Amino acid sequence: MKSFKVFLMVALLVLQNEAMAASCDKSASESKKVSTQADQINKFSAEEVVRELKNLYRRKDKTFRMDRLSPENLEAAFDLVLAELELKIADFSAKQLKPNFRNTIVKLEDMFRDYAQMLIIVESISLNQTKLYKEVEANITKKSKEFDDRYRKNEIIAKRVNEVVASLQNRKLPEDSRRLLNEYKKIFSRLDEASEKRLLEIELRLTELADKFTGNVLEATEKTFVEFTEAELKGFSKEMLESGKDLAEQNGNPNYLFNPIVPVLSKALSSLELSSSREKIYRAYAQLGITSEFNNRPIIKEILQLRQEKAKLKSFNNFAEYSISEKAAPSLEVVKSFLEDLRDLYFHNAKIEIAKIRAYKEKATGDSKLYAWDYAYWNEKLMKEEIGISEQELKPYLSFYSFQTAFHKRLEDLYGIEIVERKDLPSFDSESQSFEIRKDGKSYAFLYADSFAKSGKRSGAWMTEMISGYRDKRGNRKIPTATINLNIMRAKEGQTTFMSPNEAVTYAHEFGHALHAILSNARYYSQFGTRVAWDVVEVPSQFNENLVLDKDFIKSFAVHHETKEVIPDHLVDGFIKSLNFNAGYAGLRQTAYLGLLDLEFHRHPDMVFEDPVAFEQKFVEPYNLFDKADFQVATSGKFNHIFTNGGYSAGYYSYKWAEIIEADVFRFLSQSKDPAKVMDDWIKKVISIGGSSDFNQGVESVLGRKIDPSALVERAGLEIPK
Ligand SMILES: [Zn+2]
């Protein structure tokens, strides 16, 4: 059910995440939270969790005490909330009434709030402490799916909802109420009993398969050790060597060992000097999820079959059509041709870029062969020569806390808010930060920032809308809470934590999602915040990335941690340029290798993918620009996005779709004579509306015209083929 869906934003930049942080200075400890005993604090009983939940919006000065949750009491608390909801439903069903919008639709909204809220809290906390809460989350997901099915089968409620729908068919309603009514209509338009039964089986099986898929990738990664001698690791930093040595020692190995995790992979591909060493780790990574021991092929096959069956039950030709029908994009055909057009444009540019890298490599080594594992290394070298900087030169200027302070100031100016750190408030643990967001001098929202990598936390970066707001009968706005989560490597106590440029952009990205969640002013709970169509959910976050890529902004905070010198112009220019360097290949990856592959997997109702990996290889082959490896390379086996996440299945295109919108709006803002008015419009007509009115119409009303894709092409500096 869409209304209770938890929106999880996974940063696109995960692949480029930097793993290592560097040395010295003091500011890291300054921002450490005072409540270091947080981890030993008394845990809530299940009843206390429920009480905390019910008091969510009453407390003026503190947020949800998630530091006092534990796996056992969280599941027990969920059971209590669910039992209470079932009682309320029974009560409601037994009552005689003449159904109308208020006593039925609004009533259901109220009844479900604690339950929906509980699900989001579970999701938020289990992402943050995955290992600890894995089982609890699986149990709760299963219970909630079964409950959803029971609820949708409630004939009395269905009848009442349908009566309200019929009675208001031709009546004028406020847009948010009309949209809410349509949502409820969808929830209660049931198929015949047999089809509904099968749909539930499919859902439950898909959840199991998703867990197996992720589990295979995780286990394969943990059990794969790539061994190197010291000579093979030329190019690695001291920290990387140390971590390889540590892992080897733990395993009684005299050399160096690495698991093929993304941060290690990206570090290795961009810095190891020997092509054979890069190949070694690349090969290990490429095999994740497709080897005989942890083989995701049969799982992919079953997932795709079940999804097609589900689409057919819902009267669509295929799953891609079904998935897109739930999104803002008009149709599968439109999405496909938009992706293909972009792919062709990126392919044209990528060919030029790769030819250049190949020639550059040949000049340096006498060998023109360029394999996939050579790309990052030679690209970085060429970039350094053309732009004259490397990421390593930038890092001493990018202290996490200086960036954070400056970035928050920028957001305050632009969005008209105050972001106040509240060290007196609890958060996930002692390393995460709590902020109060104020507007017009009043408390408007809370935000938890958990920015650092730690054991048991999921990798990557994301935002959760942990406590959602709404407006009550009297119009009083209930204050929401969001969390942003990153995996920046924190420096040791007393030293400065640095971030890579990409991490700075990721922070801005997640904060954009958070602002979308907490600046909302929607009336209904199930329309608040980021509850918009999946393919526009990345618009506010990607919009925010632009704010980092601004010379004046960077110069306002980037000071060398030792010399205290302000970052020189050439480094700032280089940094901004580097983010678009060779944008053709990056875009080709997103369209041809990922976005179109995702559509292709989901748009063939009758195709049986005996071997999805072979299918993938054949599908992307025409767009391969590298020399061929003598082993299988495939994304499918670890493509978590599309195989374990409902929204991104036949929805990976959403990133590009959102980029077109966001690039256009940002260009409009930059060129405007009255940027304050544009921002004001942007907040009022897009950011704050949630799902209460149409997102695209909101954007077009800010622009005063239709959305224009040329801004994206222009920003990336792409060459248009003649
Ligand atoms: Zn995102």
Side-chain angles (χ1 to χ4, degrees):
M1 271 180 288
K2 184 165 178 286
S3 334
F4 311 123
K5 190 158 67 192
V6 176
F7 287 89
L8 160 66
M9 316 311 157
V10 184
L12 178 62
L13 298 160
V14 170
L15 266 174
Q16 298 148 11
N17 266 358
E18 272 274 333
M20 308 308 292
S23 54
C24 279
D25 192 300
K26 54 177 174 31
S27 48
S29 57
E30 286 168 6
S31 287
K32 198 166 162 67
K33 289 182 67 72
V34 282
S35 57
T36 43
Q37 310 94 329
D39 301 318
Q40 296 110 44
I41 220 146
N42 277 345
K43 299 297 181 189
F44 277 146
S45 66
E47 287 76 16
E48 284 168 327
V49 176
V50 178
R51 202 167 59 218
E52 185 80 355
L53 188 70
K54 296 204 174 296
N55 280 326
L56 268 185
Y57 307 104
R58 270 188 222 133
R59 294 182 308 265
K60 278 235 157 58
D61 211 31
K62 60 186 172 91
T63 50
F64 191 73
R65 296 292 308 255
M66 56 183 164
D67 58 326
R68 295 186 64 182
L69 298 177
S70 66
E72 316 75 57
N73 64 31
L74 194 57
E75 187 171 350
F78 175 82
D79 292 341
L80 288 177
V81 169
L82 183 57
E84 188 188 88
L85 175 60
E86 303 239 34
L87 273 180
K88 281 186 194 164
I89 290 175
D91 215 43
F92 175 71
S93 310
K95 212 186 265 167
Q96 295 291 322
L97 56 85
K98 188 174 170 344
N100 61 36
F101 189 80
R102 178 146 293 285
N103 72 19
T104 303
I105 307 296
V106 175
K107 178 81 187 166
L108 287 170
E109 278 282 293
D110 286 342
M111 267 163 42
F112 271 81
R113 208 160 33 235
D114 287 350
Y115 168 75
Q117 199 50 73
M118 199 69 203
L119 286 177
I120 315 182
I121 290 170
V122 171
E123 177 89 19
S124 293
I125 195 129
S126 74
L127 282 166
N128 198 273
Q129 301 179 33
T130 306
K131 282 200 174 143
L132 214 54
Y133 284 89
K134 205 174 165 210
E135 210 175 301
V136 174
E137 204 219 351
N139 294 346
I140 289 178
T141 305
K142 185 158 184 278
K143 285 177 196 168
S144 86
K145 282 203 174 184
E146 286 164 355
F147 164 73
D148 286 352
D149 184 65
R150 283 201 298 285
Y151 165 58
R152 289 175 60 239
K153 272 189 197 144
N154 184 313
E155 283 172 12
I156 299 173
I157 298 184
K159 191 164 164 274
R160 284 180 190 171
V161 168
N162 288 326
E163 272 178 50
V164 178
V165 170
S167 72
L168 295 174
Q169 196 91 53
N170 301 314
R171 294 270 292 280
K172 208 170 148 35
L173 277 182
E175 195 181 350
D176 56 351
S177 301
R178 172 64 64 200
R179 291 169 74 94
L180 189 67
L181 192 59
N182 286 341
E183 275 302 320
Y184 277 84
K185 186 180 160 191
K186 236 196 224 162
I187 294 171
F188 288 101
S189 49
R190 284 177 65 81
L191 305 170
D192 60 89
E193 243 2 83
S195 305
E196 285 292 337
K197 188 165 166 271
R198 181 64 189 141
L199 273 179
L200 178 65
E201 282 167 12
I202 292 178
E203 283 305 325
L204 292 173
R205 180 68 186 147
L206 282 172
T207 309
E208 270 174 31
L209 289 169
D211 286 346
K212 276 195 186 162
F213 187 98
T214 323
N216 268 345
V217 180
L218 266 176
E219 220 180 322
T221 312
E222 280 172 7
K223 291 193 174 156
T224 304
F225 296 95
V226 193
E227 184 180 352
F228 293 95
T229 61
E230 187 160 350
E232 287 178 309
L233 292 174
K234 210 167 158 224
F236 255 178
S237 63
K238 209 172 109 241
E239 289 88 348
M240 285 301 289
L241 288 173
E242 273 171 18
S243 78
K245 197 78 207 164
D246 282 352
L247 192 62
E249 274 168 12
Q250 287 163 28
N251 288 279
N253 185 298
N255 286 312
Y256 294 82
L257 291 183
F258 293 92
N259 297 122
I261 52 172
V262 173
V264 170
L265 177 84
S266 63
K267 205 78 199 167
L269 293 185
S270 62
S271 56
L272 286 182
E273 291 182 15
L274 294 175
S275 178
S276 55
S277 303
R278 297 192 297 265
E279 179 185 351
K280 220 192 237 188
I281 191 137
Y282 185 85
R283 182 191 288 262
Y285 181 74
Q287 307 295 306
L288 294 178
I290 61 173
T291 55
S292 53
E293 198 182 349
F294 303 105
N295 190 2
N296 274 336
R297 287 174 227 234
I299 297 176
I300 295 172
K301 191 175 147 188
E302 195 182 340
I303 288 175
L304 291 174
Q305 278 168 340
L306 290 173
R307 284 181 181 165
Q308 295 296 6
E309 191 186 340
K310 176 175 165 182
K312 289 242 164 121
L313 283 170
K314 295 199 175 253
S315 304
F316 288 89
N317 288 316
N318 56 60
F319 187 82
E321 275 185 12
Y322 165 64
S323 168
I324 291 169
S325 80
E326 303 261 296
K327 297 183 167 68
S331 68
L332 170 60
E333 287 67 37
V334 170
V335 170
K336 190 165 169 283
S337 80
F338 131 86
L339 272 184
E340 283 170 348
D341 288 351
L342 271 182
R343 174 202 57 201
D344 294 345
L345 179 66
Y346 286 128
F347 189 46
H348 171 80
N349 283 270
K351 276 192 278 194
I352 302 170
E353 293 162 12
I354 302 286
K356 223 159 121 189
I357 297 176
R358 216 181 260 282
Y360 176 73
K361 189 200 162 201
E362 188 175 9
K363 208 172 137 209
T365 64
D367 177 8
S368 70
K369 278 215 157 41
L370 190 77
Y371 294 101
W373 53 88
D374 294 327
Y375 171 76
Y377 180 80
W378 289 100
N379 183 50
E380 174 115 2
K381 265 193 170 331
L382 179 64
M383 181 164 85
K384 191 166 181 195
E385 191 167 298
E386 284 198 358
I387 300 179
I389 62 152
S390 75
E391 207 170 282
Q392 293 314 316
E393 286 172 79
L394 285 164
K395 234 170 167 174
Y397 295 92
L398 299 178
S399 132
F400 172 75
Y401 290 108
S402 318
F403 162 78
Q404 189 187 47
T405 308
F407 185 65
H408 288 186
K409 173 82 181 57
R410 183 148 169 72
L411 293 178
E412 289 181 333
D413 293 346
L414 211 55
Y415 288 88
I417 49 174
E418 274 177 90
I419 304 171
V420 185
E421 182 163 9
R422 292 281 307 266
K423 295 191 184 192
D424 56 317
L425 296 180
S427 191
F428 285 108
D429 54 33
S430 57
E431 290 203 341
S432 47
Q433 300 166 283
S434 309
F435 295 94
E436 182 183 354
I437 312 294
R438 294 189 190 140
K439 206 175 166 190
D440 305 322
K442 286 190 204 120
S443 196
Y444 204 69
F446 289 97
L447 179 83
Y448 295 137
D450 189 48
S451 307
F452 306 116
K454 61 187 167 200
S455 128
K457 181 174 169 181
R458 214 191 88 137
S459 63
W462 65 93
M463 184 284 297
T464 71
E465 206 164 350
M466 200 172 91
I467 292 162
S468 200
Y470 66 100
R471 282 189 284 132
D472 70 12
K473 270 183 252 163
R474 280 176 231 100
N476 296 325
R477 183 177 177 275
K478 303 295 176 183
I479 293 179
T481 301
T483 78
I484 56 172
N485 308 266
L486 286 87
N487 270 291
I488 296 169
M489 208 60 117
R490 191 187 164 93
K492 288 185 188 130
E493 193 74 45
Q495 300 185 344
T496 302
T497 296
F498 293 103
M499 65 203 308
S500 71
N502 275 321
E503 284 166 342
V505 173
T506 304
Y507 187 90
H509 179 103
E510 299 310 331
F511 215 116
H513 282 308
L515 289 174
H516 193 193
I518 61 186
L519 295 186
S520 185
N521 201 22
R523 166 162 52 159
Y524 299 118
Y525 180 88
S526 59
Q527 293 176 341
F528 201 87
T530 63
R531 290 162 169 103
V532 294
W534 196 274
D535 48 0
V536 290
V537 96
E538 296 293 333
V539 174
S541 52
Q542 296 188 166
F543 174 87
N544 248 25
E545 292 181 16
N546 293 291
L547 306 178
V548 176
L549 311 177
D550 174 321
K551 193 166 176 174
D552 293 338
F553 167 65
I554 295 170
K555 293 201 76 138
S556 76
F557 76 90
V559 171
H560 195 283
H561 76 108
E562 277 168 351
T563 65
K564 308 293 170 213
E565 162 218 22
V566 174
I567 192 167
D569 281 351
H570 80 276
L571 282 186
V572 184
D573 295 338
F575 165 39
I576 294 172
K577 240 169 138 183
S578 72
L579 288 162
N580 269 331
F581 191 74
N582 286 354
Y585 177 66
L588 182 68
R589 223 182 98 73
Q590 278 185 294
T591 51
Y593 304 170
L594 303 175
L596 281 161
L597 175 69
D598 165 36
L599 278 194
E600 206 58 19
F601 269 139
H602 289 107
R603 77 186 188 90
H604 293 288
D606 305 315
M607 193 187 285
V608 177
F609 294 93
E610 271 320 322
D611 182 2
V613 170
F615 175 80
E616 173 186 342
Q617 287 177 318
K618 202 167 149 223
F619 185 74
V620 302
E621 177 56 29
Y623 303 95
N624 174 38
L625 293 166
F626 300 117
D627 286 283
K628 253 185 148 169
D630 61 2
F631 51 88
Q632 276 199 319
V633 175
T635 304
S636 319
K638 49 185 167 299
F639 203 173
N640 274 310
H641 260 80
I642 68 163
F643 292 121
T644 68
N645 184 319
Y648 285 111
S649 355
Y652 195 86
Y653 75 88
S654 303
Y655 286 112
K656 276 287 154 206
W657 190 262
E659 231 181 290
I660 284 190
I661 301 175
E662 148 276 303
D664 193 15
V665 176
F666 196 76
R667 181 173 69 178
F668 183 76
L669 173 71
S670 313
Q671 293 173 350
S672 166
K673 290 197 182 73
D674 191 357
K677 159 93 172 50
V678 176
M679 267 319 279
D680 199 44
D681 273 2
W682 177 241
I683 295 165
K684 270 200 196 108
K685 297 175 176 175
V686 180
I687 297 296
S688 67
I689 61 169
S692 67
S693 60
D694 188 84
F695 191 96
N696 286 343
Q697 274 173 18
V699 173
E700 288 178 358
S701 145
V702 173
L703 296 168
R705 58 165 168 77
K706 293 257 174 239
I707 294 156
D708 173 6
S710 72
L712 173 68
V713 178
E714 189 183 298
R715 182 176 67 188
L718 294 172
E719 179 188 296
I720 297 166
K722 288 177 191 91

